[in-house]
Amino acid sequence: MFQSFDTQYVSQTKFLFFTGKGGVGKTSTACATAVALIDEGKKVLLVSTDPASNLQDVLEVGLRNMPSPIADVPNLDACNLDPEEAAIAYRERVIGPFRGKLPDAVVATMEEQLSGACTVEIAAFDEFTNLLSDFSIVETYDHIIFDTAPTGHTLRLLQLPTAWSGFLEESTHGASCLGPLAGLSEKKEIYSITMAALSDPSRTTLILVARPDESSLLEASRASKELKEIGISNQVMVINGFMQSYVQEDEVSSSFFNRQRNAVQQMPNDLKQVATFSLPFVSYSLTGVKSLRYFLKQYTLPESQLENEGQTITLPGLNKVIEDFSKNNTRVIFTMGKGGVGKTTMASAIAIGLVQKGHKVHLTTTDPAAHLDYVFQDSQRSDRLTISRINPKEEVEAYKKEVLSSVSKELDDEAIAYIQEDLNSPCTEEIAVFRAFADVVARSMDEIIVIDTAPTGHTLLLLDAAQSYHKELARSTGEVPENVKMLLPRLRNHKETGVVIVTLAEATPVLEASRLQDDLKRAGIVPKWWVINQSLYATKTTDPVLKGRAQAEEVWIQRVTHELSDQCAIIPLISEGNTKFEQLQKFID
């Protein structure tokens, strides 16, 4: 269906940026590309700016934040820039001068504004800009490969004149991410050089990495459009984990294969204009130089080389989660996790399970594809389940209009342009959607509320900070609605609210879910359950490739059950049902 990915398609430019949502295989693809270029006689620097980076695990070496040689691969240097550490230092540079001079509530607001994903990404951008602006480093290598590129949102912020003015230090418009660029005034020229390099197609190639599934391809489409808008148009896409064949008599294998093909056939039209290549779904772990060489050569280990010691981890299914919430009369249930892990499906299955236990349930989702009011057909329809869908785009637009209308009379056009771009941050969508969720919860006090996609701890703390800031300084325009004020304490009440973190048994989803849990704990919220979804380890597949991948899941299942959660359920990768209801029923039977 697609040509196999090969370095010849990207080796014309010095700078190679790999981007894509968490868990798609950016790091393994970037490492395999680096090794392949080395084998062609090139000298390569490999740089990771991913906060969930497992670069050192893939290369099986210890790494620092400065380039160092990889002993097993002559002519390959690598470094692991830790954006979380960079963000801490960055935050202190910005906030330090104000400690003891401004009220504590104001400083708390500033700290939380600088604790989100936007600040981490800008700090990471600052780190690799230092590399790109160092002529002695750039000229040392034939290629510099970056694992994780900045988003279009961050790059657009950097292009706005107001981002470099004192406006950032003296203005606020409420609960959003305004402020991450506040300490960058001295770097404008260096950033301009970096932006010029990024948008030069003779110097930079952007590699969009995606999985052959709907959410991953939608994210690739969004990233492609955002980056093209700011001039980064030299793009190719690599669909990673593409099954080459399947075992016909194996229901798991055939369903997985067909699901991938259907997702690719329905991928967004704009992606069809991007040169697209594929890498195979492999049975072995992509760690070590030998495996990385196999990967780009499309090599699959035969079944005889797979070590399968049998399934030894026993965990309950989703029905145990449902039973726990039913028994304890939990009134508000959130499913949380990164995109593509199955939050909407888990929320829907939990809602149906609670209905079948006799509860009245209201299910709220932000998934436009979740046509859940059609799940119950004829005799299957239940009057104990009500459903609402929240359109994130509509909620965000309404929130933007509200914020802009409150500040437009006080600011000039440049400042308004900055706020408009700032409002494109991930926090804005979380806040806007959360406000809509709060309205639903307030209207439905006599039902169990199951909510798909809850805000992160950072967003909750932003809302809290905006509320405190409003009390401290009358000039703040960040109004927090009463329904939101009432819902925040409910979220912290573990007897009333249960949070379910949904993940996959893979490195990046588990690491990102772990950070999400830490983020929630900062806001005083402790998740009740973890659910490992779409697990091959929990199936009885006979497909040799899938069996190999199932074995690789074990270390991450152990990590979740032994280190991250006291209560964990596992959901096997299952075949799709004939109807949506039939498929959801499989999760709770």
Side-chain angles (χ1 to χ4, degrees):
M1 183 176 284
F2 300 108
Q3 286 183 284
S4 298
F5 178 61
D6 190 279
T7 55
Q8 65 176 308
Y9 303 118
V10 297
S11 60
Q12 296 83 7
T13 60
K14 178 179 285 273
F15 304 123
L16 305 177
F17 283 84
F18 287 79
T19 189
K21 67 185 297 182
V24 296
K26 293 188 299 294
T27 301
S28 54
T29 306
C31 289
T33 301
V35 170
L37 288 169
I38 293 295
D39 290 345
E40 295 169 14
K42 305 292 181 63
K43 185 171 178 61
V44 178
L45 172 62
L46 178 59
V47 182
S48 175
T49 59
D50 187 347
S53 174
N54 58 340
L55 182 61
Q56 59 275 2
D57 299 322
V58 174
L59 294 174
E60 295 183 324
V61 294
L63 293 174
R64 301 178 298 120
N65 63 353
M66 291 298 293
S68 55
I70 306 302
D72 292 342
V73 193
N75 288 324
L76 174 61
D77 292 349
C79 60
N80 198 8
L81 305 180
D82 188 337
E84 299 282 2
E85 285 187 13
I88 292 171
Y90 184 80
R91 206 156 40 236
E92 190 54 36
R93 286 202 307 271
V94 175
I95 297 171
F98 298 100
R99 296 188 192 280
K101 299 178 182 178
L102 294 177
D104 290 345
V106 178
V107 173
T109 300
M110 294 171 67
E111 287 179 329
E112 198 52 53
Q113 284 178 332
L114 291 167
S115 294
C118 296
T119 301
V120 173
E121 188 172 313
I122 287 167
F125 185 73
D126 188 41
E127 289 287 309
F128 75 66
T129 293
N130 293 336
L131 284 174
L132 285 181
S133 61
D134 189 327
F135 183 79
S136 64
I137 291 178
V138 171
E139 291 305 306
T140 300
Y141 301 96
D142 297 303
H143 297 285
I144 300 180
I145 297 175
F146 290 96
D147 169 24
T148 300
T151 66
H153 163 60
T154 295
L155 296 176
R156 284 196 304 272
L157 277 177
L158 292 166
Q159 288 180 322
L160 289 167
T162 305
W164 306 97
S165 76
F167 166 74
L168 295 171
E169 297 178 5
E170 58 193 36
S171 179
T172 180
H173 62 265
S176 189
C177 278
L178 189 65
L181 301 178
L184 299 180
S185 57
E186 75 282 2
K187 300 222 173 179
K188 184 175 182 180
E189 185 177 348
I190 293 175
Y191 278 26
S192 296
I193 293 170
T194 303
M195 298 287 286
L198 279 169
S199 56
D200 184 347
S202 68
R203 301 168 68 191
T204 297
T205 301
L206 185 84
I207 299 99
L208 300 157
V209 185
R211 294 277 192 183
D213 63 61
E214 182 184 13
S215 65
S216 177
L217 290 168
L218 286 173
E219 174 69 15
S221 171
R222 183 197 62 75
S224 176
K225 289 176 184 174
E226 276 194 348
L227 293 163
K228 280 181 178 176
E229 285 174 0
I230 55 173
I232 303 177
S233 57
N234 188 14
Q235 303 178 0
V236 302
M237 183 166 71
V238 176
I239 296 183
N240 185 31
F242 203 60
M243 284 192 74
Q244 309 298 298
S245 61
Y246 65 96
V247 177
Q248 192 165 2
E249 60 273 16
D250 185 332
E251 186 179 7
V252 174
S253 176
S254 58
S255 175
F256 192 40
F257 180 90
N258 291 327
R259 191 181 303 175
Q260 287 192 348
R261 269 22 185 207
N262 290 337
V264 167
Q265 288 171 2
Q266 297 171 28
M267 74 178 179
N269 287 329
D270 61 289
L271 286 183
K272 295 175 182 177
Q273 313 306 314
V274 178
T276 301
F277 309 95
S278 68
L279 283 169
F281 190 95
V282 295
S283 58
Y284 47 89
S285 176
L286 288 168
T287 58
V289 176
K290 185 178 180 180
S291 292
L292 294 171
R293 283 198 174 100
Y294 286 164
F295 190 37
L296 251 60
K297 293 176 180 178
Q298 311 278 315
Y299 183 74
T300 302
L301 289 174
E303 184 175 7
S304 60
Q305 290 182 238
L306 297 175
E307 299 176 6
N308 194 339
E309 299 177 358
Q311 299 173 3
T312 57
I313 303 173
T314 302
L315 294 174
L318 193 65
N319 53 353
K320 187 69 174 178
V321 179
I322 295 166
E323 182 182 320
D324 179 51
F325 287 143
S326 174
K327 178 182 177 182
N328 290 295
N329 195 31
T330 305
R331 305 309 299 169
V332 181
I333 299 166
F334 286 93
T335 58
M336 302 186 66
K338 297 298 181 180
V341 297
K343 296 184 299 293
T344 301
T345 301
M346 291 300 101
S348 305
I350 289 169
I352 290 172
L354 288 169
V355 166
Q356 292 176 351
K357 287 188 175 293
H359 298 280
K360 287 185 66 177
V361 179
H362 183 83
L363 171 64
T364 302
T365 178
T366 58
D367 186 352
H371 304 299
L372 298 174
D373 44 354
Y374 298 110
V375 168
F376 291 97
Q377 300 291 337
D378 302 325
S379 60
Q380 292 177 341
R381 182 174 292 277
S382 171
D383 57 6
R384 291 194 300 273
L385 177 65
T386 55
I387 297 164
S388 62
R389 285 189 301 279
I390 293 170
N391 186 320
K393 289 184 179 179
E394 292 178 1
E395 297 299 333
V396 168
E397 287 307 310
Y399 180 73
K400 286 180 180 179
K401 288 179 181 177
E402 178 185 329
V403 170
L404 289 170
S405 67
S406 68
V407 300
S408 58
K409 295 179 181 178
E410 306 168 12
L411 304 175
D412 60 24
D413 290 344
E414 279 191 5
I416 290 173
Y418 181 88
I419 290 178
Q420 286 175 324
E421 183 51 51
D422 175 63
L423 287 169
N424 287 324
S425 76
C427 291
T428 298
E429 180 171 320
E430 284 191 4
I431 290 166
V433 169
F434 185 56
R435 284 157 44 119
F437 280 148
D439 292 340
V440 170
V441 172
R443 294 199 313 264
S444 307
M445 299 298 288
D446 62 337
E447 301 169 302
I448 293 176
I449 313 300
V450 180
I451 300 176
D452 160 39
T453 308
T456 65
H458 166 61
T459 301
L460 295 173
L461 288 169
L462 271 179
L463 288 164
D464 255 358
Q467 183 178 344
S468 301
Y469 189 63
H470 181 63
K471 292 176 180 176
E472 184 76 29
L473 294 177
R475 68 185 178 88
S476 172
T477 59
E479 291 288 349
V480 179
E482 193 64 29
N483 288 340
V484 174
K485 294 178 185 178
M486 293 176 63
L487 187 53
L488 287 170
R490 293 186 70 182
L491 278 172
R492 295 186 171 110
N493 182 349
H494 68 276
K495 293 182 179 179
E496 188 174 8
T497 298
V499 172
V500 178
I501 289 186
V502 185
T503 188
L504 306 178
E506 298 174 12
T508 300
V510 170
L511 292 172
E512 290 188 346
S514 174
R515 286 203 307 278
L516 172 61
Q517 178 164 266
D518 291 341
D519 198 21
L520 288 169
K521 287 180 177 179
R522 282 198 310 123
I525 299 166
V526 179
K528 184 74 179 292
W529 282 88
W530 277 53
V531 172
I532 298 171
N533 193 24
Q534 301 175 26
S535 171
L536 287 164
Y537 185 90
T539 70
K540 297 179 180 179
T541 181
T542 59
D543 185 307
V545 176
L546 298 186
K547 283 172 67 177
R549 186 58 69 87
Q551 185 180 328
E553 288 184 3
E554 183 173 350
V555 63
W556 297 107
I557 296 172
Q558 296 278 17
R559 176 82 171 268
V560 171
T561 55
H562 292 169
E563 299 178 27
L564 297 173
S565 180
D566 294 330
Q567 295 193 100
C568 180
I570 194 166
I571 313 296
L573 181 72
I574 62 174
S575 57
E576 296 182 0
N578 294 325
T579 66
K580 182 73 173 177
F581 176 79
E582 181 181 306
Q583 184 179 352
L584 291 172
Q585 192 66 47
K586 287 184 177 183
F587 291 109
I588 55 181
D589 285 343

